[in-house]
Amino acid sequence: MNTIFKKRQGSFLLKLLFFTIVLFAVHSYLIHYFYDGNLFFPLWQIYAFHCLVTFAIYGIINYKHSECNTQVFNIFMVSTLLKMIIAIVFLLPLLLSDFENKKPDVFNFFIPYFLFLAFEVLYISDLLKGK
């Protein structure tokens, strides 16, 4: 693997971890002080899922871009579709369970989902612009 790929990947990982920790801390604070019910998924599992999937998608795009592949946008679109499918699979235990109040868990999943998606799109667009 070339050094540019590794350098970009390491830089993105540090930014992603910082983003994840800050977002997790804010989310945990809000849940602790404003919600007193039970949740199906612990927040750390949701954030671990989002962090891993975002890092994997950026890694694939970064790798293909470093190989001068011109189909990077198509790869991004397919990987985003796969991310959506994986998100539904992640939520299946909740959706199929007898858990009474599913809305807070769904919101706890999809609000970070869209924030991580925005983070991912921002850095992938910077990558494709050549920054």
Side-chain angles (χ1 to χ4, degrees):
M1 293 192 190
N2 64 32
T3 57
I4 296 171
F5 166 78
K6 290 179 183 178
K7 185 177 178 183
R8 280 192 305 239
Q9 200 69 14
S11 173
F12 179 76
L13 179 60
L14 290 176
K15 293 171 188 172
L16 179 64
L17 288 176
F18 178 75
F19 178 75
T20 302
I21 290 168
V22 169
L23 199 59
F24 177 75
V26 170
H27 197 163
S28 294
Y29 174 80
L30 292 173
I31 292 296
H32 179 71
Y33 285 103
F34 296 112
Y35 183 71
D36 60 350
N38 291 336
L39 295 173
F40 189 83
F41 290 114
L43 282 182
W44 70 267
Q45 285 181 356
I46 292 170
Y47 279 87
F49 170 81
H50 289 308
C51 187
L52 290 172
V53 171
T54 300
F55 184 69
I57 289 175
Y58 182 84
I60 292 167
I61 302 297
N62 185 18
Y63 178 74
K64 292 298 184 180
H65 183 12
S66 66
E67 287 186 340
C68 298
N69 191 337
T70 59
Q71 301 294 323
V72 174
F73 181 73
N74 294 339
I75 295 168
F76 172 70
M77 294 306 290
V78 169
S79 63
T80 302
L81 178 65
L82 280 171
K83 181 179 180 179
M84 289 180 210
I85 293 168
I86 293 169
I88 298 300
V89 169
F90 181 85
L91 288 173
L92 268 179
L94 170 67
L95 299 174
L96 298 176
S97 73
D98 296 346
F99 203 68
E100 280 186 31
N101 195 5
K102 297 177 184 181
K103 284 183 184 179
D105 278 295
V106 171
F107 285 128
N108 278 333
F109 182 83
F110 278 107
I111 291 171
Y113 177 88
F114 289 115
L115 292 172
F116 274 89
L117 183 62
F119 182 83
E120 179 184 319
V121 167
L122 175 73
Y123 281 97
I124 289 175
S125 67
D126 284 348
L127 174 71
L128 297 179
K129 287 179 189 174
K131 289 185 179 181

